[in-house]
Amino acid sequence: MKICKLGEDILRQKCEPVLQEEINDEFRALLNEMFETMTSANGCGLAAPQVGIQKRFFVVIADDDVRRVFINPEITRTSVETSEYEEGCLSVPGFSEKIIRPSSVSVSALDENGRRFSIEDAAGLLARVIQHENDHLDGILYIDRGDESVKNSITGQFKKRAERAQKKLAEKEARRCAIEAKKAAKRKKES
């Protein structure tokens, strides 16, 4: 699956809830594909908007190596205590920043079979990944929770990358059109 990068509109949109009837074998196959994409990219969480789907779900494999699916998650409690951790994101590759978040959270969600479950007082990496991925469902990236100057720098670098990529595509298309024009001229001359 293609992972959307900073600058793509879907990463800034609020996601729609998953309907109960949407949770079927096809949906579970999609979840498996997301797990494969996440692990091959060395991630520990991946949210639907990161793969171009504007729905409220994400997958997680934290430090306990358990595959978890969160559909329509709701964070029901956050701790007063906070912790700082160097966060990165598959949608913002090559960058990281120390982000302060609540140390533990409680969450309620549906699993891959549409059954409601809760996790009380998730802590450590699991708590952090749940919060990070849940933010994606509301169009929030970890850089929004850090230093504004770092966010502006990263956003500027991604904008320049996108502009360079667009320029290369335009140059490639111009070369293709020039070749086609030469071929057409040659065919016309030969006939």
PDB file of all heavy atoms in Angstrom, residues 121-158:
ATOM      1  N   ASP A 121      -5.869   1.739  31.136  1.00  0.00           N
ATOM      2  CA  ASP A 121      -4.540   2.176  31.571  1.00  0.00           C
ATOM      3  C   ASP A 121      -3.395   1.592  30.742  1.00  0.00           C
ATOM      4  O   ASP A 121      -2.390   1.124  31.285  1.00  0.00           O
ATOM      5  CB  ASP A 121      -4.322   1.867  33.059  1.00  0.00           C
ATOM      6  CG  ASP A 121      -5.343   2.575  33.930  1.00  0.00           C
ATOM      7  OD1 ASP A 121      -5.624   3.766  33.650  1.00  0.00           O
ATOM      8  OD2 ASP A 121      -5.874   1.953  34.868  1.00  0.00           O
ATOM      9  N   ALA A 122      -3.552   1.626  29.409  1.00  0.00           N
ATOM     10  CA  ALA A 122      -2.429   1.261  28.541  1.00  0.00           C
ATOM     11  C   ALA A 122      -1.296   2.233  28.835  1.00  0.00           C
ATOM     12  O   ALA A 122      -1.521   3.434  28.996  1.00  0.00           O
ATOM     13  CB  ALA A 122      -2.839   1.352  27.081  1.00  0.00           C
ATOM     14  N   ALA A 123      -0.083   1.716  28.939  1.00  0.00           N
ATOM     15  CA  ALA A 123       1.060   2.562  29.287  1.00  0.00           C
ATOM     16  C   ALA A 123       2.195   2.313  28.300  1.00  0.00           C
ATOM     17  O   ALA A 123       2.103   1.471  27.404  1.00  0.00           O
ATOM     18  CB  ALA A 123       1.510   2.251  30.717  1.00  0.00           C
ATOM     19  N   GLY A 124       3.270   3.063  28.464  1.00  0.00           N
ATOM     20  CA  GLY A 124       4.461   2.872  27.650  1.00  0.00           C
ATOM     21  C   GLY A 124       4.215   3.140  26.178  1.00  0.00           C
ATOM     22  O   GLY A 124       3.433   4.018  25.800  1.00  0.00           O
ATOM     23  N   LEU A 125       4.877   2.334  25.334  1.00  0.00           N
ATOM     24  CA  LEU A 125       4.779   2.518  23.887  1.00  0.00           C
ATOM     25  C   LEU A 125       3.343   2.331  23.391  1.00  0.00           C
ATOM     26  O   LEU A 125       2.890   3.068  22.518  1.00  0.00           O
ATOM     27  CB  LEU A 125       5.724   1.553  23.155  1.00  0.00           C
ATOM     28  CG  LEU A 125       5.775   1.707  21.639  1.00  0.00           C
ATOM     29  CD1 LEU A 125       6.255   3.107  21.233  1.00  0.00           C
ATOM     30  CD2 LEU A 125       6.667   0.634  21.023  1.00  0.00           C
ATOM     31  N   LEU A 126       2.617   1.377  23.956  1.00  0.00           N
ATOM     32  CA  LEU A 126       1.241   1.149  23.511  1.00  0.00           C
ATOM     33  C   LEU A 126       0.392   2.401  23.704  1.00  0.00           C
ATOM     34  O   LEU A 126      -0.347   2.810  22.797  1.00  0.00           O
ATOM     35  CB  LEU A 126       0.617  -0.040  24.251  1.00  0.00           C
ATOM     36  CG  LEU A 126      -0.836  -0.364  23.888  1.00  0.00           C
ATOM     37  CD1 LEU A 126      -0.986  -0.659  22.397  1.00  0.00           C
ATOM     38  CD2 LEU A 126      -1.340  -1.523  24.728  1.00  0.00           C
ATOM     39  N   ALA A 127       0.507   3.052  24.854  1.00  0.00           N
ATOM     40  CA  ALA A 127      -0.256   4.282  25.115  1.00  0.00           C
ATOM     41  C   ALA A 127       0.112   5.364  24.110  1.00  0.00           C
ATOM     42  O   ALA A 127      -0.759   6.054  23.570  1.00  0.00           O
ATOM     43  CB  ALA A 127      -0.006   4.778  26.534  1.00  0.00           C
ATOM     44  N   ARG A 128       1.387   5.493  23.834  1.00  0.00           N
ATOM     45  CA  ARG A 128       1.858   6.521  22.906  1.00  0.00           C
ATOM     46  C   ARG A 128       1.349   6.254  21.496  1.00  0.00           C
ATOM     47  O   ARG A 128       0.855   7.156  20.813  1.00  0.00           O
ATOM     48  CB  ARG A 128       3.379   6.575  22.916  1.00  0.00           C
ATOM     49  CG  ARG A 128       3.877   7.659  21.982  1.00  0.00           C
ATOM     50  CD  ARG A 128       5.181   8.238  22.401  1.00  0.00           C
ATOM     51  NE  ARG A 128       5.220   8.748  23.744  1.00  0.00           N
ATOM     52  CZ  ARG A 128       5.118  10.036  24.063  1.00  0.00           C
ATOM     53  NH1 ARG A 128       4.910  10.937  23.135  1.00  0.00           N
ATOM     54  NH2 ARG A 128       5.225  10.432  25.307  1.00  0.00           N
ATOM     55  N   VAL A 129       1.447   5.008  21.044  1.00  0.00           N
ATOM     56  CA  VAL A 129       1.021   4.675  19.680  1.00  0.00           C
ATOM     57  C   VAL A 129      -0.487   4.851  19.530  1.00  0.00           C
ATOM     58  O   VAL A 129      -0.956   5.372  18.510  1.00  0.00           O
ATOM     59  CB  VAL A 129       1.473   3.248  19.287  1.00  0.00           C
ATOM     60  CG1 VAL A 129       0.965   2.871  17.910  1.00  0.00           C
ATOM     61  CG2 VAL A 129       2.989   3.139  19.327  1.00  0.00           C
ATOM     62  N   ILE A 130      -1.252   4.457  20.530  1.00  0.00           N
ATOM     63  CA  ILE A 130      -2.707   4.657  20.474  1.00  0.00           C
ATOM     64  C   ILE A 130      -3.023   6.144  20.302  1.00  0.00           C
ATOM     65  O   ILE A 130      -3.830   6.527  19.446  1.00  0.00           O
ATOM     66  CB  ILE A 130      -3.399   4.090  21.739  1.00  0.00           C
ATOM     67  CG1 ILE A 130      -3.384   2.563  21.717  1.00  0.00           C
ATOM     68  CG2 ILE A 130      -4.832   4.612  21.867  1.00  0.00           C
ATOM     69  CD1 ILE A 130      -3.807   1.920  23.031  1.00  0.00           C
ATOM     70  N   GLN A 131      -2.365   6.997  21.076  1.00  0.00           N
ATOM     71  CA  GLN A 131      -2.628   8.439  20.988  1.00  0.00           C
ATOM     72  C   GLN A 131      -2.194   9.002  19.632  1.00  0.00           C
ATOM     73  O   GLN A 131      -2.897   9.804  19.016  1.00  0.00           O
ATOM     74  CB  GLN A 131      -1.907   9.176  22.117  1.00  0.00           C
ATOM     75  CG  GLN A 131      -2.480   8.852  23.490  1.00  0.00           C
ATOM     76  CD  GLN A 131      -1.634   9.441  24.594  1.00  0.00           C
ATOM     77  OE1 GLN A 131      -1.766  10.629  24.884  1.00  0.00           O
ATOM     78  NE2 GLN A 131      -0.775   8.625  25.194  1.00  0.00           N
ATOM     79  N   HIS A 132      -1.020   8.576  19.168  1.00  0.00           N
ATOM     80  CA  HIS A 132      -0.476   9.048  17.893  1.00  0.00           C
ATOM     81  C   HIS A 132      -1.417   8.669  16.744  1.00  0.00           C
ATOM     82  O   HIS A 132      -1.768   9.508  15.913  1.00  0.00           O
ATOM     83  CB  HIS A 132       0.919   8.438  17.690  1.00  0.00           C
ATOM     84  CG  HIS A 132       1.563   8.790  16.396  1.00  0.00           C
ATOM     85  ND1 HIS A 132       2.657   9.622  16.324  1.00  0.00           N
ATOM     86  CD2 HIS A 132       1.308   8.404  15.124  1.00  0.00           C
ATOM     87  CE1 HIS A 132       3.031   9.737  15.056  1.00  0.00           C
ATOM     88  NE2 HIS A 132       2.222   9.002  14.309  1.00  0.00           N
ATOM     89  N   GLU A 133      -1.815   7.388  16.707  1.00  0.00           N
ATOM     90  CA  GLU A 133      -2.675   6.924  15.617  1.00  0.00           C
ATOM     91  C   GLU A 133      -4.072   7.521  15.719  1.00  0.00           C
ATOM     92  O   GLU A 133      -4.692   7.860  14.704  1.00  0.00           O
ATOM     93  CB  GLU A 133      -2.736   5.399  15.580  1.00  0.00           C
ATOM     94  CG  GLU A 133      -1.394   4.713  15.364  1.00  0.00           C
ATOM     95  CD  GLU A 133      -0.607   5.215  14.166  1.00  0.00           C
ATOM     96  OE1 GLU A 133      -1.203   5.623  13.148  1.00  0.00           O
ATOM     97  OE2 GLU A 133       0.636   5.208  14.253  1.00  0.00           O
ATOM     98  N   ASN A 134      -4.599   7.651  16.926  1.00  0.00           N
ATOM     99  CA  ASN A 134      -5.911   8.265  17.105  1.00  0.00           C
ATOM    100  C   ASN A 134      -5.898   9.709  16.605  1.00  0.00           C
ATOM    101  O   ASN A 134      -6.881  10.177  16.022  1.00  0.00           O
ATOM    102  CB  ASN A 134      -6.334   8.185  18.573  1.00  0.00           C
ATOM    103  CG  ASN A 134      -7.808   8.431  18.748  1.00  0.00           C
ATOM    104  OD1 ASN A 134      -8.629   7.636  18.304  1.00  0.00           O
ATOM    105  ND2 ASN A 134      -8.152   9.541  19.372  1.00  0.00           N
ATOM    106  N   ASP A 135      -4.800  10.418  16.824  1.00  0.00           N
ATOM    107  CA  ASP A 135      -4.677  11.781  16.296  1.00  0.00           C
ATOM    108  C   ASP A 135      -4.855  11.804  14.778  1.00  0.00           C
ATOM    109  O   ASP A 135      -5.492  12.707  14.225  1.00  0.00           O
ATOM    110  CB  ASP A 135      -3.306  12.380  16.646  1.00  0.00           C
ATOM    111  CG  ASP A 135      -3.261  13.038  18.010  1.00  0.00           C
ATOM    112  OD1 ASP A 135      -4.308  13.164  18.672  1.00  0.00           O
ATOM    113  OD2 ASP A 135      -2.143  13.446  18.416  1.00  0.00           O
ATOM    114  N   HIS A 136      -4.277  10.811  14.083  1.00  0.00           N
ATOM    115  CA  HIS A 136      -4.403  10.753  12.618  1.00  0.00           C
ATOM    116  C   HIS A 136      -5.870  10.770  12.187  1.00  0.00           C
ATOM    117  O   HIS A 136      -6.207  11.344  11.155  1.00  0.00           O
ATOM    118  CB  HIS A 136      -3.748   9.484  12.057  1.00  0.00           C
ATOM    119  CG  HIS A 136      -2.278   9.605  11.818  1.00  0.00           C
ATOM    120  ND1 HIS A 136      -1.738  10.501  10.919  1.00  0.00           N
ATOM    121  CD2 HIS A 136      -1.237   8.919  12.349  1.00  0.00           C
ATOM    122  CE1 HIS A 136      -0.426  10.368  10.913  1.00  0.00           C
ATOM    123  NE2 HIS A 136      -0.090   9.415  11.773  1.00  0.00           N
ATOM    124  N   LEU A 137      -6.734  10.152  12.969  1.00  0.00           N
ATOM    125  CA  LEU A 137      -8.151  10.068  12.611  1.00  0.00           C
ATOM    126  C   LEU A 137      -8.847  11.422  12.684  1.00  0.00           C
ATOM    127  O   LEU A 137      -9.923  11.601  12.128  1.00  0.00           O
ATOM    128  CB  LEU A 137      -8.867   9.053  13.515  1.00  0.00           C
ATOM    129  CG  LEU A 137      -8.242   7.648  13.563  1.00  0.00           C
ATOM    130  CD1 LEU A 137      -9.082   6.736  14.437  1.00  0.00           C
ATOM    131  CD2 LEU A 137      -8.042   7.072  12.175  1.00  0.00           C
ATOM    132  N   ASP A 138      -8.210  12.375  13.371  1.00  0.00           N
ATOM    133  CA  ASP A 138      -8.740  13.734  13.473  1.00  0.00           C
ATOM    134  C   ASP A 138      -7.919  14.736  12.658  1.00  0.00           C
ATOM    135  O   ASP A 138      -8.050  15.949  12.841  1.00  0.00           O
ATOM    136  CB  ASP A 138      -8.796  14.160  14.941  1.00  0.00           C
ATOM    137  CG  ASP A 138      -9.816  13.355  15.727  1.00  0.00           C
ATOM    138  OD1 ASP A 138     -10.901  13.077  15.176  1.00  0.00           O
ATOM    139  OD2 ASP A 138      -9.535  12.989  16.882  1.00  0.00           O
ATOM    140  N   GLY A 139      -7.050  14.238  11.792  1.00  0.00           N
ATOM    141  CA  GLY A 139      -6.241  15.119  10.938  1.00  0.00           C
ATOM    142  C   GLY A 139      -5.098  15.793  11.668  1.00  0.00           C
ATOM    143  O   GLY A 139      -4.603  16.832  11.232  1.00  0.00           O
ATOM    144  N   ILE A 140      -4.663  15.201  12.773  1.00  0.00           N
ATOM    145  CA  ILE A 140      -3.580  15.779  13.582  1.00  0.00           C
ATOM    146  C   ILE A 140      -2.325  14.930  13.405  1.00  0.00           C
ATOM    147  O   ILE A 140      -2.383  13.705  13.513  1.00  0.00           O
ATOM    148  CB  ILE A 140      -3.981  15.825  15.077  1.00  0.00           C
ATOM    149  CG1 ILE A 140      -5.222  16.695  15.260  1.00  0.00           C
ATOM    150  CG2 ILE A 140      -2.818  16.320  15.937  1.00  0.00           C
ATOM    151  CD1 ILE A 140      -5.872  16.574  16.630  1.00  0.00           C
ATOM    152  N   LEU A 141      -1.197  15.575  13.159  1.00  0.00           N
ATOM    153  CA  LEU A 141       0.083  14.886  13.062  1.00  0.00           C
ATOM    154  C   LEU A 141       0.919  15.200  14.294  1.00  0.00           C
ATOM    155  O   LEU A 141       0.709  16.220  14.951  1.00  0.00           O
ATOM    156  CB  LEU A 141       0.839  15.331  11.808  1.00  0.00           C
ATOM    157  CG  LEU A 141       0.134  15.062  10.471  1.00  0.00           C
ATOM    158  CD1 LEU A 141       0.929  15.659   9.318  1.00  0.00           C
ATOM    159  CD2 LEU A 141      -0.073  13.575  10.262  1.00  0.00           C
ATOM    160  N   TYR A 142       1.884  14.331  14.591  1.00  0.00           N
ATOM    161  CA  TYR A 142       2.692  14.548  15.796  1.00  0.00           C
ATOM    162  C   TYR A 142       3.401  15.897  15.771  1.00  0.00           C
ATOM    163  O   TYR A 142       3.608  16.506  16.813  1.00  0.00           O
ATOM    164  CB  TYR A 142       3.706  13.399  16.003  1.00  0.00           C
ATOM    165  CG  TYR A 142       4.967  13.517  15.184  1.00  0.00           C
ATOM    166  CD1 TYR A 142       6.088  14.157  15.719  1.00  0.00           C
ATOM    167  CD2 TYR A 142       5.058  13.008  13.910  1.00  0.00           C
ATOM    168  CE1 TYR A 142       7.252  14.274  14.972  1.00  0.00           C
ATOM    169  CE2 TYR A 142       6.206  13.114  13.170  1.00  0.00           C
ATOM    170  CZ  TYR A 142       7.300  13.749  13.698  1.00  0.00           C
ATOM    171  OH  TYR A 142       8.450  13.870  12.957  1.00  0.00           O
ATOM    172  N   ILE A 143       3.732  16.400  14.588  1.00  0.00           N
ATOM    173  CA  ILE A 143       4.415  17.698  14.506  1.00  0.00           C
ATOM    174  C   ILE A 143       3.525  18.839  14.994  1.00  0.00           C
ATOM    175  O   ILE A 143       4.018  19.900  15.368  1.00  0.00           O
ATOM    176  CB  ILE A 143       4.948  17.993  13.079  1.00  0.00           C
ATOM    177  CG1 ILE A 143       3.821  17.983  12.054  1.00  0.00           C
ATOM    178  CG2 ILE A 143       6.051  17.014  12.709  1.00  0.00           C
ATOM    179  CD1 ILE A 143       4.228  18.407  10.650  1.00  0.00           C
ATOM    180  N   ASP A 144       2.215  18.626  15.024  1.00  0.00           N
ATOM    181  CA  ASP A 144       1.283  19.644  15.540  1.00  0.00           C
ATOM    182  C   ASP A 144       1.370  19.752  17.055  1.00  0.00           C
ATOM    183  O   ASP A 144       0.906  20.726  17.639  1.00  0.00           O
ATOM    184  CB  ASP A 144      -0.161  19.300  15.157  1.00  0.00           C
ATOM    185  CG  ASP A 144      -0.363  19.221  13.653  1.00  0.00           C
ATOM    186  OD1 ASP A 144       0.319  19.958  12.916  1.00  0.00           O
ATOM    187  OD2 ASP A 144      -1.196  18.407  13.213  1.00  0.00           O
ATOM    188  N   ARG A 145       1.928  18.747  17.704  1.00  0.00           N
ATOM    189  CA  ARG A 145       2.007  18.707  19.168  1.00  0.00           C
ATOM    190  C   ARG A 145       3.387  19.102  19.681  1.00  0.00           C
ATOM    191  O   ARG A 145       3.631  19.073  20.878  1.00  0.00           O
ATOM    192  CB  ARG A 145       1.643  17.312  19.668  1.00  0.00           C
ATOM    193  CG  ARG A 145       0.215  16.930  19.289  1.00  0.00           C
ATOM    194  CD  ARG A 145      -0.329  15.876  20.186  1.00  0.00           C
ATOM    195  NE  ARG A 145      -1.703  15.538  19.884  1.00  0.00           N
ATOM    196  CZ  ARG A 145      -2.757  16.180  20.345  1.00  0.00           C
ATOM    197  NH1 ARG A 145      -2.623  17.222  21.117  1.00  0.00           N
ATOM    198  NH2 ARG A 145      -3.977  15.781  20.031  1.00  0.00           N
ATOM    199  N   GLY A 146       4.281  19.439  18.777  1.00  0.00           N
ATOM    200  CA  GLY A 146       5.642  19.797  19.165  1.00  0.00           C
ATOM    201  C   GLY A 146       5.935  21.268  18.988  1.00  0.00           C
ATOM    202  O   GLY A 146       5.033  22.114  18.988  1.00  0.00           O
ATOM    203  N   ASP A 147       7.191  21.566  18.793  1.00  0.00           N
ATOM    204  CA  ASP A 147       7.677  22.935  18.626  1.00  0.00           C
ATOM    205  C   ASP A 147       7.230  23.493  17.269  1.00  0.00           C
ATOM    206  O   ASP A 147       7.422  22.846  16.237  1.00  0.00           O
ATOM    207  CB  ASP A 147       9.212  22.925  18.738  1.00  0.00           C
ATOM    208  CG  ASP A 147       9.804  24.306  18.641  1.00  0.00           C
ATOM    209  OD1 ASP A 147      10.062  24.763  17.500  1.00  0.00           O
ATOM    210  OD2 ASP A 147      10.023  24.929  19.696  1.00  0.00           O
ATOM    211  N   GLU A 148       6.657  24.675  17.283  1.00  0.00           N
ATOM    212  CA  GLU A 148       6.129  25.300  16.054  1.00  0.00           C
ATOM    213  C   GLU A 148       7.212  25.524  15.005  1.00  0.00           C
ATOM    214  O   GLU A 148       6.984  25.325  13.807  1.00  0.00           O
ATOM    215  CB  GLU A 148       5.448  26.633  16.409  1.00  0.00           C
ATOM    216  CG  GLU A 148       4.658  27.242  15.276  1.00  0.00           C
ATOM    217  CD  GLU A 148       3.367  26.506  14.936  1.00  0.00           C
ATOM    218  OE1 GLU A 148       2.846  25.774  15.786  1.00  0.00           O
ATOM    219  OE2 GLU A 148       2.897  26.651  13.793  1.00  0.00           O
ATOM    220  N   SER A 149       8.424  25.903  15.431  1.00  0.00           N
ATOM    221  CA  SER A 149       9.496  26.150  14.459  1.00  0.00           C
ATOM    222  C   SER A 149       9.940  24.846  13.790  1.00  0.00           C
ATOM    223  O   SER A 149      10.267  24.830  12.604  1.00  0.00           O
ATOM    224  CB  SER A 149      10.684  26.849  15.121  1.00  0.00           C
ATOM    225  OG  SER A 149      11.266  26.029  16.114  1.00  0.00           O
ATOM    226  N   VAL A 150       9.933  23.741  14.547  1.00  0.00           N
ATOM    227  CA  VAL A 150      10.274  22.432  13.968  1.00  0.00           C
ATOM    228  C   VAL A 150       9.205  22.038  12.952  1.00  0.00           C
ATOM    229  O   VAL A 150       9.510  21.590  11.845  1.00  0.00           O
ATOM    230  CB  VAL A 150      10.422  21.358  15.077  1.00  0.00           C
ATOM    231  CG1 VAL A 150      10.589  19.974  14.476  1.00  0.00           C
ATOM    232  CG2 VAL A 150      11.586  21.689  15.991  1.00  0.00           C
ATOM    233  N   LYS A 151       7.940  22.239  13.319  1.00  0.00           N
ATOM    234  CA  LYS A 151       6.834  21.938  12.412  1.00  0.00           C
ATOM    235  C   LYS A 151       6.972  22.730  11.116  1.00  0.00           C
ATOM    236  O   LYS A 151       6.836  22.172  10.017  1.00  0.00           O
ATOM    237  CB  LYS A 151       5.502  22.269  13.088  1.00  0.00           C
ATOM    238  CG  LYS A 151       4.293  22.113  12.181  1.00  0.00           C
ATOM    239  CD  LYS A 151       3.027  22.552  12.886  1.00  0.00           C
ATOM    240  CE  LYS A 151       1.843  22.559  11.962  1.00  0.00           C
ATOM    241  NZ  LYS A 151       0.608  22.943  12.642  1.00  0.00           N
ATOM    242  N   ASN A 152       7.247  24.020  11.228  1.00  0.00           N
ATOM    243  CA  ASN A 152       7.373  24.866  10.044  1.00  0.00           C
ATOM    244  C   ASN A 152       8.540  24.422   9.168  1.00  0.00           C
ATOM    245  O   ASN A 152       8.437  24.419   7.941  1.00  0.00           O
ATOM    246  CB  ASN A 152       7.524  26.336  10.445  1.00  0.00           C
ATOM    247  CG  ASN A 152       6.256  26.893  11.054  1.00  0.00           C
ATOM    248  OD1 ASN A 152       5.163  26.371  10.844  1.00  0.00           O
ATOM    249  ND2 ASN A 152       6.380  27.954  11.838  1.00  0.00           N
ATOM    250  N   SER A 153       9.648  24.046   9.789  1.00  0.00           N
ATOM    251  CA  SER A 153      10.815  23.569   9.044  1.00  0.00           C
ATOM    252  C   SER A 153      10.493  22.283   8.287  1.00  0.00           C
ATOM    253  O   SER A 153      10.783  22.159   7.097  1.00  0.00           O
ATOM    254  CB  SER A 153      11.988  23.346  10.007  1.00  0.00           C
ATOM    255  OG  SER A 153      13.058  22.725   9.339  1.00  0.00           O
ATOM    256  N   ILE A 154       9.895  21.319   8.981  1.00  0.00           N
ATOM    257  CA  ILE A 154       9.555  20.037   8.350  1.00  0.00           C
ATOM    258  C   ILE A 154       8.542  20.253   7.231  1.00  0.00           C
ATOM    259  O   ILE A 154       8.699  19.719   6.125  1.00  0.00           O
ATOM    260  CB  ILE A 154       9.017  19.043   9.402  1.00  0.00           C
ATOM    261  CG1 ILE A 154      10.140  18.639  10.366  1.00  0.00           C
ATOM    262  CG2 ILE A 154       8.419  17.814   8.726  1.00  0.00           C
ATOM    263  CD1 ILE A 154       9.671  17.826  11.573  1.00  0.00           C
ATOM    264  N   THR A 155       7.514  21.053   7.489  1.00  0.00           N
ATOM    265  CA  THR A 155       6.484  21.326   6.480  1.00  0.00           C
ATOM    266  C   THR A 155       7.110  21.983   5.248  1.00  0.00           C
ATOM    267  O   THR A 155       6.788  21.622   4.114  1.00  0.00           O
ATOM    268  CB  THR A 155       5.371  22.212   7.075  1.00  0.00           C
ATOM    269  OG1 THR A 155       4.827  21.542   8.225  1.00  0.00           O
ATOM    270  CG2 THR A 155       4.264  22.465   6.076  1.00  0.00           C
ATOM    271  N   GLY A 156       8.014  22.925   5.472  1.00  0.00           N
ATOM    272  CA  GLY A 156       8.695  23.592   4.362  1.00  0.00           C
ATOM    273  C   GLY A 156       9.523  22.624   3.531  1.00  0.00           C
ATOM    274  O   GLY A 156       9.522  22.692   2.296  1.00  0.00           O
ATOM    275  N   GLN A 157      10.222  21.706   4.198  1.00  0.00           N
ATOM    276  CA  GLN A 157      11.027  20.722   3.477  1.00  0.00           C
ATOM    277  C   GLN A 157      10.152  19.790   2.644  1.00  0.00           C
ATOM    278  O   GLN A 157      10.498  19.453   1.506  1.00  0.00           O
ATOM    279  CB  GLN A 157      11.888  19.926   4.458  1.00  0.00           C
ATOM    280  CG  GLN A 157      13.005  20.777   5.066  1.00  0.00           C
ATOM    281  CD  GLN A 157      13.859  19.986   6.034  1.00  0.00           C
ATOM    282  OE1 GLN A 157      14.389  18.946   5.676  1.00  0.00           O
ATOM    283  NE2 GLN A 157      13.981  20.482   7.256  1.00  0.00           N
ATOM    284  N   PHE A 158       9.005  19.383   3.192  1.00  0.00           N
ATOM    285  CA  PHE A 158       8.105  18.520   2.429  1.00  0.00           C
ATOM    286  C   PHE A 158       7.498  19.265   1.252  1.00  0.00           C
ATOM    287  O   PHE A 158       7.295  18.685   0.184  1.00  0.00           O
ATOM    288  CB  PHE A 158       7.008  17.934   3.338  1.00  0.00           C
ATOM    289  CG  PHE A 158       7.388  16.610   3.916  1.00  0.00           C
ATOM    290  CD1 PHE A 158       8.176  16.545   5.052  1.00  0.00           C
ATOM    291  CD2 PHE A 158       6.998  15.426   3.315  1.00  0.00           C
ATOM    292  CE1 PHE A 158       8.556  15.330   5.585  1.00  0.00           C
ATOM    293  CE2 PHE A 158       7.378  14.205   3.840  1.00  0.00           C
ATOM    294  CZ  PHE A 158       8.153  14.150   4.975  1.00  0.00           C
TER     295      PHE A 158
END
